[in-house]
Amino acid sequence: MSAVADSSLDASNSAAKVAQGSPSPGAKTVPGANLDPIFKAALYGCGSLVLILLCSIVVLLFYGGWPALAHFGPSFYWSTAWNPVTEKFGAGVMIYGTLFTGILALIIALPMSFGIAFFLTEIAPQSVRRPIGIAIQLLAAVPSIIFGMWGSLIVAPILAQTIYPPIISVLSHVPVLGYLFKGPTNGAGMLTAGIILALMIIPFITAMFVEILESVPAMLKESAYGVGATTYEVFRNVSVPYGRTALVGAVMLGFGRALGETMAVTFVIGNANRISASLFSSGATIASTIANEFPDAPAGSLRSQSLLELGFVLFVISFIVLAISRMLVRTNAK
């Protein structure tokens, strides 16, 4: 009886060791099994690398920009002064320009992305869907500086000569609304930057929209068609609600892309340190200001420290956008 009990106990111990990843006494050693701890350590290292990079960036921006914040105080965030000669710096104009152009881009890009995604997933025949899908992927691969050059040399002159003048003549006299459409324009300005940004983020948002909408189970759509729903009703009441959580994430990802864009905006925004309600006025964003001035800022100077603080502000804005997107996703998931 004791021998049976001991045998049962040994079997239990062997099973426990196997479950914990230890080989049983009679098992053959698998070639390369000793590399498993090294492989796990490498994976942990890869995961830790992301956190190390993130923390190092935050530390660099925070401590690099802290002297500027200590010098100007909290007013740095809303001051509109930016004068390298007198060493008076403030982030107000850049924060306003970053948020304003990003929101403009989202307002323009969102309906167009929905329209393209709706066309590709519900209406377009297969012979048309594939070429347009490839074109969208190619647009997403175009470097931002190419968009900036194209916007500066082609889009801005066309807008200044043919599009903006009639808009100004018609809408500039409308009470309240007219403040958005006042003033002459040379083509470079906030609206032009918003348009170029919209064209840049449309491929990203559209590609994600298409993948999300194509993941809707065919049974749900066929059930809706079976009770007499139209194509638009199926899209609105079945496809969009089903993928609502992922759609919100795609929109916020596109918004984050617009906020951090540098070269394309630098070419077409005008790079002027002022705040105006007019869509046609020149302005500046955090990214464009850093790109324009950082090469000329002496290391350790108050100007360089102010630019690093601007980078920290942009990081915080991006973090807030990400936090809001996650909150919206969780809310929609419920």
Side-chain angles (χ1 to χ4, degrees), residues 74-141:
S75 62
F76 174 84
Y77 296 120
W78 57 79
S79 173
T80 58
W82 191 272
N83 192 333
V85 177
T86 60
E87 291 196 330
K88 299 292 183 182
F89 301 105
V93 173
M94 297 77 181
I95 294 175
Y96 170 80
T98 299
L99 295 176
F100 194 68
T101 54
I103 293 172
L104 276 177
L106 201 60
I107 292 174
I108 298 171
L110 189 55
M112 295 184 66
S113 298
F114 259 119
I116 298 172
F118 177 58
F119 173 74
L120 292 178
T121 56
E122 301 293 342
I123 297 177
Q126 189 64 34
S127 59
V128 176
R129 185 180 307 173
R130 183 174 178 81
I132 295 180
I134 294 175
I136 291 173
Q137 294 175 359
L138 291 176
L139 279 177

Coordinates of all heavy atoms in Angstrom, one line a residue, residues 74-141:
P74 N 4.1 80.2 -15.1 CA 3.0 79.5 -15.8 C 2.5 80.4 -17.0 O 1.9 79.8 -17.9 CB 1.9 79.4 -14.8 CG 2.7 79.4 -13.5 CD 3.8 80.3 -13.7
S75 N 2.8 81.7 -17.0 CA 2.4 82.5 -18.1 C 3.0 82.1 -19.4 O 2.5 82.5 -20.5 CB 2.7 84.0 -17.8 OG 4.1 84.2 -17.7
F76 N 4.0 81.3 -19.4 CA 4.7 80.8 -20.6 C 3.7 80.1 -21.5 O 3.7 80.2 -22.7 CB 5.8 79.8 -20.3 CG 6.4 79.2 -21.5 CD1 7.4 79.8 -22.2 CD2 6.1 77.9 -21.9 CE1 8.0 79.2 -23.3 CE2 6.6 77.3 -22.9 CZ 7.6 77.9 -23.7
Y77 N 2.7 79.4 -20.9 CA 1.7 78.6 -21.6 C 0.7 79.4 -22.4 O 0.1 78.9 -23.4 CB 1.1 77.6 -20.7 CG 2.0 76.6 -20.1 CD1 2.1 76.5 -18.7 CD2 2.8 75.7 -20.9 CE1 3.0 75.6 -18.2 CE2 3.7 74.8 -20.3 CZ 3.8 74.8 -19.0 OH 4.6 73.9 -18.4
W78 N 0.4 80.6 -21.9 CA -0.6 81.4 -22.6 C 0.0 82.8 -23.2 O -0.7 83.5 -23.9 CB -1.8 81.7 -21.7 CG -1.4 82.4 -20.4 CD1 -1.2 83.8 -20.3 CD2 -1.3 81.8 -19.2 NE1 -0.9 84.0 -18.9 CE2 -1.0 82.8 -18.2 CE3 -1.5 80.5 -18.7 CZ2 -0.9 82.6 -16.9 CZ3 -1.3 80.3 -17.3 CH2 -1.0 81.3 -16.4
S79 N 1.2 83.0 -22.9 CA 1.8 84.2 -23.5 C 2.0 84.1 -25.0 O 2.3 83.1 -25.5 CB 3.2 84.5 -22.8 OG 3.9 85.5 -23.5
T80 N 1.8 85.2 -25.7 CA 1.9 85.2 -27.2 C 3.2 85.8 -27.6 O 3.4 86.0 -28.8 CB 0.7 86.0 -27.8 OG1 0.7 87.3 -27.3 CG2 -0.6 85.3 -27.5
A81 N 4.1 86.1 -26.7 CA 5.4 86.7 -27.1 C 6.3 85.7 -27.5 O 6.4 84.6 -26.9 CB 6.0 87.5 -25.9
W82 N 7.0 86.0 -28.6 CA 8.1 85.1 -29.1 C 9.1 86.0 -29.8 O 9.0 86.2 -31.0 CB 7.6 84.0 -30.0 CG 8.6 82.9 -30.2 CD1 9.6 82.9 -31.2 CD2 8.9 81.8 -29.4 NE1 10.4 81.8 -31.1 CE2 10.0 81.1 -30.0 CE3 8.3 81.2 -28.3 CZ2 10.5 79.9 -29.5 CZ3 8.8 80.0 -27.8 CH2 9.9 79.4 -28.4
N83 N 10.1 86.4 -29.1 CA 11.1 87.4 -29.6 C 12.5 86.9 -29.2 O 12.9 87.2 -28.1 CB 10.8 88.8 -29.1 CG 11.6 89.9 -29.9 OD1 12.7 89.6 -30.4 ND2 11.1 91.1 -29.9
P84 N 13.2 86.3 -30.1 CA 14.6 85.9 -29.8 C 15.5 87.0 -29.4 O 16.5 86.8 -28.7 CB 15.0 85.1 -31.0 CG 13.8 84.7 -31.7 CD 12.8 85.8 -31.4
V85 N 15.3 88.2 -29.9 CA 16.2 89.3 -29.7 C 16.1 89.8 -28.2 O 17.1 90.0 -27.5 CB 15.8 90.5 -30.6 CG1 16.7 91.7 -30.3 CG2 16.0 90.1 -32.1
T86 N 14.8 89.9 -27.7 CA 14.6 90.3 -26.3 C 14.5 89.1 -25.4 O 14.4 89.3 -24.2 CB 13.4 91.2 -26.2 OG1 12.2 90.4 -26.6 CG2 13.5 92.5 -27.1
E87 N 14.6 87.9 -25.9 CA 14.5 86.7 -25.2 C 13.2 86.7 -24.4 O 13.2 86.4 -23.2 CB 15.7 86.5 -24.3 CG 17.0 86.2 -25.0 CD 18.1 85.7 -24.1 OE1 18.1 86.0 -22.9 OE2 18.9 84.9 -24.6
K88 N 12.1 87.0 -25.0 CA 10.8 86.9 -24.5 C 10.0 85.8 -25.2 O 9.8 85.9 -26.5 CB 10.0 88.2 -24.6 CG 10.6 89.3 -23.9 CD 10.5 89.2 -22.3 CE 11.1 90.4 -21.6 NZ 11.1 90.2 -20.1
F89 N 9.7 84.7 -24.5 CA 9.1 83.5 -25.2 C 7.8 83.1 -24.5 O 7.7 83.2 -23.3 CB 10.1 82.4 -25.2 CG 11.4 82.7 -25.9 CD1 12.5 82.9 -25.1 CD2 11.5 82.8 -27.3 CE1 13.8 83.2 -25.7 CE2 12.7 83.1 -27.9 CZ 13.8 83.3 -27.1
G90 N 6.9 82.6 -25.3 CA 5.6 82.1 -24.8 C 5.1 81.1 -25.8 O 5.3 81.2 -27.0
A91 N 4.2 80.2 -25.3 CA 3.7 79.1 -26.2 C 2.3 79.3 -26.6 O 1.8 78.4 -27.3 CB 3.8 77.8 -25.4
G92 N 1.7 80.4 -26.3 CA 0.3 80.6 -26.6 C -0.1 80.5 -28.1 O -1.0 79.8 -28.4
V93 N 0.7 81.2 -28.9 CA 0.4 81.1 -30.4 C 0.6 79.7 -30.9 O -0.2 79.3 -31.7 CB 1.4 82.1 -31.1 CG1 1.2 82.0 -32.6 CG2 1.1 83.5 -30.7
M94 N 1.6 79.0 -30.5 CA 1.9 77.7 -31.0 C 0.8 76.7 -30.6 O 0.4 75.8 -31.3 CB 3.3 77.2 -30.6 CG 4.4 78.1 -31.2 SD 4.6 79.6 -30.3 CE 5.9 80.4 -31.1
I95 N 0.4 76.8 -29.3 CA -0.6 75.8 -28.8 C -1.9 76.1 -29.6 O -2.6 75.1 -30.0 CB -0.8 76.0 -27.3 CG1 0.4 75.6 -26.5 CG2 -2.0 75.2 -26.8 CD1 0.4 75.8 -25.0
Y96 N -2.3 77.4 -29.7 CA -3.5 77.7 -30.5 C -3.4 77.2 -31.9 O -4.3 76.5 -32.4 CB -3.7 79.2 -30.5 CG -4.8 79.7 -31.4 CD1 -6.1 79.6 -31.1 CD2 -4.4 80.2 -32.7 CE1 -7.1 80.1 -31.9 CE2 -5.4 80.7 -33.5 CZ -6.7 80.6 -33.1 OH -7.7 81.1 -34.0
G97 N -2.3 77.4 -32.6 CA -2.1 77.0 -34.0 C -2.2 75.4 -34.1 O -2.7 74.9 -35.1
T98 N -1.5 74.7 -33.2 CA -1.5 73.3 -33.2 C -2.9 72.7 -33.1 O -3.3 71.9 -33.9 CB -0.6 72.7 -32.1 OG1 0.7 73.2 -32.2 CG2 -0.6 71.2 -32.1
L99 N -3.7 73.2 -32.1 CA -5.0 72.7 -31.9 C -6.0 73.1 -33.0 O -6.8 72.3 -33.5 CB -5.6 73.2 -30.5 CG -4.8 72.6 -29.3 CD1 -5.4 73.3 -28.0 CD2 -4.9 71.1 -29.2
F100 N -5.8 74.3 -33.5 CA -6.7 74.9 -34.5 C -6.6 74.1 -35.8 O -7.6 73.7 -36.4 CB -6.5 76.4 -34.7 CG -7.5 77.1 -35.4 CD1 -8.8 77.3 -34.9 CD2 -7.3 77.6 -36.7 CE1 -9.8 78.0 -35.6 CE2 -8.2 78.3 -37.4 CZ -9.5 78.5 -36.9
T101 N -5.3 74.0 -36.2 CA -5.1 73.3 -37.5 C -5.5 71.8 -37.4 O -6.0 71.2 -38.3 CB -3.6 73.4 -38.0 OG1 -2.8 72.9 -36.9 CG2 -3.3 74.8 -38.3
G102 N -5.2 71.2 -36.2 CA -5.6 69.8 -36.0 C -7.1 69.6 -36.1 O -7.6 68.6 -36.7
I103 N -7.8 70.5 -35.4 CA -9.3 70.4 -35.5 C -9.9 70.6 -36.9 O -10.8 69.9 -37.3 CB -9.9 71.3 -34.4 CG1 -9.6 70.9 -33.0 CG2 -11.4 71.4 -34.6 CD1 -10.0 71.9 -32.0
L104 N -9.3 71.6 -37.6 CA -9.7 71.9 -39.0 C -9.5 70.6 -39.8 O -10.3 70.3 -40.6 CB -8.9 73.0 -39.5 CG -9.4 74.5 -39.2 CD1 -8.4 75.5 -39.8 CD2 -10.8 74.7 -39.8
A105 N -8.3 70.0 -39.7 CA -8.0 68.8 -40.5 C -9.0 67.7 -40.2 O -9.4 67.0 -41.1 CB -6.6 68.4 -40.2
L106 N -9.3 67.5 -38.9 CA -10.3 66.5 -38.5 C -11.7 66.8 -39.1 O -12.4 65.9 -39.6 CB -10.3 66.3 -37.0 CG -10.8 65.0 -36.5 CD1 -10.0 63.9 -37.0 CD2 -10.9 65.1 -34.9
I107 N -12.1 68.0 -39.0 CA -13.4 68.4 -39.6 C -13.5 68.1 -41.1 O -14.5 67.6 -41.6 CB -13.7 69.9 -39.3 CG1 -13.9 70.1 -37.8 CG2 -14.9 70.4 -40.1 CD1 -14.0 71.6 -37.4
I108 N -12.4 68.3 -41.8 CA -12.4 68.1 -43.2 C -12.2 66.6 -43.6 O -12.9 66.1 -44.4 CB -11.3 68.9 -43.9 CG1 -11.5 70.4 -43.7 CG2 -11.2 68.6 -45.4 CD1 -10.3 71.3 -44.1
A109 N -11.4 66.0 -42.8 CA -11.0 64.6 -43.2 C -12.1 63.6 -42.8 O -12.3 62.6 -43.4 CB -9.7 64.2 -42.5
L110 N -12.8 63.8 -41.6 CA -13.7 62.8 -41.1 C -14.8 62.5 -42.1 O -15.0 61.3 -42.4 CB -14.2 63.3 -39.8 CG -15.1 62.2 -39.0 CD1 -14.3 61.0 -38.8 CD2 -15.5 62.8 -37.6
P111 N -15.6 63.4 -42.6 CA -16.7 63.1 -43.6 C -16.1 62.4 -44.8 O -16.7 61.5 -45.4 CB -17.4 64.4 -43.8 CG -16.4 65.5 -43.4 CD -15.6 64.9 -42.3
M112 N -15.0 62.9 -45.3 CA -14.4 62.3 -46.5 C -14.0 60.9 -46.3 O -14.2 60.0 -47.2 CB -13.2 63.2 -47.0 CG -13.6 64.6 -47.4 SD -12.2 65.5 -48.1 CE -11.9 64.6 -49.6
S113 N -13.4 60.6 -45.2 CA -13.0 59.3 -44.9 C -14.1 58.3 -44.7 O -14.1 57.2 -45.2 CB -12.1 59.3 -43.6 OG -11.0 60.0 -43.7
F114 N -15.2 58.8 -44.1 CA -16.4 58.0 -44.0 C -17.0 57.7 -45.4 O -17.4 56.6 -45.6 CB -17.5 58.7 -43.1 CG -17.5 58.2 -41.7 CD1 -17.3 59.0 -40.6 CD2 -17.9 56.9 -41.5 CE1 -17.3 58.5 -39.3 CE2 -17.9 56.4 -40.2 CZ -17.7 57.2 -39.1
G115 N -17.0 58.8 -46.2 CA -17.6 58.6 -47.5 C -16.8 57.6 -48.4 O -17.4 56.7 -49.0
I116 N -15.5 57.7 -48.3 CA -14.6 56.7 -49.1 C -14.8 55.3 -48.5 O -14.9 54.4 -49.3 CB -13.2 57.2 -49.0 CG1 -13.0 58.5 -49.7 CG2 -12.3 56.2 -49.7 CD1 -11.6 59.1 -49.5
A117 N -14.8 55.2 -47.2 CA -14.9 53.9 -46.6 C -16.3 53.3 -46.9 O -16.4 52.1 -47.2 CB -14.8 54.0 -45.1
F118 N -17.4 54.1 -46.9 CA -18.7 53.6 -47.3 C -18.8 53.1 -48.7 O -19.3 52.1 -49.0 CB -19.7 54.7 -47.0 CG -21.1 54.4 -47.4 CD1 -21.7 53.3 -46.8 CD2 -21.8 55.1 -48.3 CE1 -23.0 52.9 -47.1 CE2 -23.1 54.8 -48.6 CZ -23.7 53.7 -48.1
F119 N -18.1 53.9 -49.6 CA -18.1 53.6 -51.0 C -17.4 52.2 -51.2 O -17.9 51.4 -52.0 CB -17.5 54.7 -51.8 CG -17.2 54.4 -53.3 CD1 -18.3 54.3 -54.1 CD2 -16.0 54.1 -53.7 CE1 -18.1 54.0 -55.5 CE2 -15.8 53.8 -55.1 CZ -16.8 53.7 -55.9
L120 N -16.2 52.1 -50.6 CA -15.4 50.9 -50.8 C -16.0 49.6 -50.2 O -15.9 48.6 -50.8 CB -14.0 51.1 -50.2 CG -13.1 52.2 -50.9 CD1 -11.8 52.3 -50.2 CD2 -12.9 51.8 -52.4
T121 N -16.7 49.8 -49.1 CA -17.2 48.6 -48.4 C -18.6 48.2 -48.9 O -19.0 47.0 -48.7 CB -17.2 48.8 -46.9 OG1 -17.9 49.9 -46.6 CG2 -15.8 48.9 -46.4
E122 N -19.4 49.1 -49.4 CA -20.8 48.8 -49.6 C -21.2 49.0 -51.1 O -22.2 48.4 -51.5 CB -21.7 49.8 -48.8 CG -21.5 49.6 -47.3 CD -21.9 48.3 -46.7 OE1 -22.7 47.6 -47.4 OE2 -21.5 47.9 -45.6
I123 N -20.6 49.9 -51.8 CA -21.0 50.2 -53.2 C -20.1 49.8 -54.3 O -20.5 49.2 -55.3 CB -21.3 51.7 -53.3 CG1 -22.4 52.1 -52.3 CG2 -21.7 52.1 -54.7 CD1 -22.7 53.6 -52.2
A124 N -18.8 50.1 -54.1 CA -17.8 49.9 -55.2 C -17.7 48.4 -55.6 O -17.7 47.5 -54.7 CB -16.5 50.4 -54.8
P125 N -17.7 48.1 -56.9 CA -17.5 46.7 -57.4 C -16.0 46.4 -57.1 O -15.2 47.2 -56.9 CB -17.8 46.8 -58.9 CG -17.6 48.2 -59.2 CD -18.0 49.0 -58.0
Q126 N -15.7 45.1 -57.1 CA -14.4 44.6 -56.8 C -13.3 45.2 -57.8 O -12.2 45.4 -57.3 CB -14.4 43.1 -56.9 CG -13.1 42.4 -56.3 CD -12.9 42.7 -54.8 OE1 -13.9 42.8 -54.1 NE2 -11.7 42.9 -54.4
S127 N -13.7 45.4 -59.0 CA -12.7 45.9 -60.0 C -12.3 47.3 -59.7 O -11.2 47.8 -60.1 CB -13.4 45.8 -61.4 OG -14.6 46.6 -61.5
V128 N -13.2 48.1 -59.0 CA -12.9 49.4 -58.6 C -12.3 49.5 -57.2 O -11.4 50.3 -56.9 CB -14.1 50.3 -58.7 CG1 -13.9 51.7 -58.2 CG2 -14.7 50.3 -60.1
R129 N -12.7 48.6 -56.3 CA -12.3 48.7 -54.9 C -10.8 48.5 -54.8 O -10.2 49.2 -54.0 CB -13.1 47.6 -54.2 CG -12.8 47.6 -52.7 CD -13.6 46.5 -52.0 NE -15.1 46.6 -52.4 CZ -15.9 45.7 -52.0 NH1 -15.6 44.6 -51.3 NH2 -17.2 45.8 -52.4
R130 N -10.3 47.5 -55.5 CA -8.8 47.2 -55.4 C -7.9 48.4 -55.8 O -7.0 48.7 -55.0 CB -8.5 45.9 -56.2 CG -7.1 45.5 -56.0 CD -6.8 44.2 -56.7 NE -5.5 43.7 -56.6 CZ -4.9 43.2 -55.5 NH1 -5.7 43.0 -54.4 NH2 -3.6 42.8 -55.5
P131 N -8.1 49.0 -57.0 CA -7.3 50.1 -57.3 C -7.4 51.3 -56.4 O -6.3 51.9 -56.0 CB -7.8 50.5 -58.7 CG -8.5 49.3 -59.3 CD -9.0 48.6 -58.1
I132 N -8.6 51.6 -55.9 CA -8.7 52.7 -54.9 C -8.0 52.3 -53.6 O -7.4 53.2 -53.0 CB -10.2 53.0 -54.7 CG1 -10.8 53.6 -56.0 CG2 -10.4 54.1 -53.6 CD1 -12.3 53.9 -55.9
G133 N -8.2 51.1 -53.2 CA -7.5 50.7 -52.0 C -6.0 50.8 -52.1 O -5.3 51.3 -51.1
I134 N -5.4 50.4 -53.2 CA -4.0 50.6 -53.4 C -3.6 52.0 -53.4 O -2.5 52.4 -52.9 CB -3.6 49.9 -54.7 CG1 -3.8 48.4 -54.6 CG2 -2.1 50.2 -55.1 CD1 -3.6 47.6 -55.9
A135 N -4.4 52.9 -54.1 CA -4.1 54.3 -54.1 C -4.1 54.9 -52.7 O -3.2 55.8 -52.4 CB -5.1 55.0 -55.0
I136 N -5.0 54.5 -51.9 CA -5.0 55.0 -50.5 C -3.8 54.6 -49.7 O -3.2 55.4 -49.0 CB -6.3 54.4 -49.8 CG1 -7.5 55.1 -50.4 CG2 -6.2 54.7 -48.3 CD1 -8.8 54.5 -49.8
Q137 N -3.3 53.3 -49.9 CA -2.1 52.9 -49.3 C -0.9 53.7 -49.8 O 0.0 54.0 -49.0 CB -1.9 51.4 -49.5 CG -3.0 50.5 -48.8 CD -2.9 49.1 -49.2 OE1 -2.0 48.7 -50.0 NE2 -3.8 48.2 -48.7
L138 N -0.9 54.0 -51.1 CA 0.2 54.7 -51.6 C 0.3 56.2 -51.1 O 1.3 56.7 -50.8 CB 0.2 54.8 -53.2 CG 0.4 53.4 -53.9 CD1 0.2 53.6 -55.4 CD2 1.8 52.9 -53.6
L139 N -0.9 56.8 -50.9 CA -1.0 58.1 -50.4 C -0.5 58.1 -48.9 O 0.2 59.1 -48.5 CB -2.4 58.6 -50.4 CG -2.9 59.2 -51.7 CD1 -4.4 59.6 -51.6 CD2 -2.1 60.4 -52.1
A140 N -0.8 57.1 -48.2 CA -0.3 57.0 -46.8 C 1.2 56.9 -46.7 O 1.8 57.3 -45.7 CB -0.9 55.8 -46.1
A141 N 1.9 56.4 -47.8 CA 3.3 56.3 -47.8 C 4.0 57.5 -48.3 O 5.3 57.5 -48.3 CB 3.7 55.1 -48.7

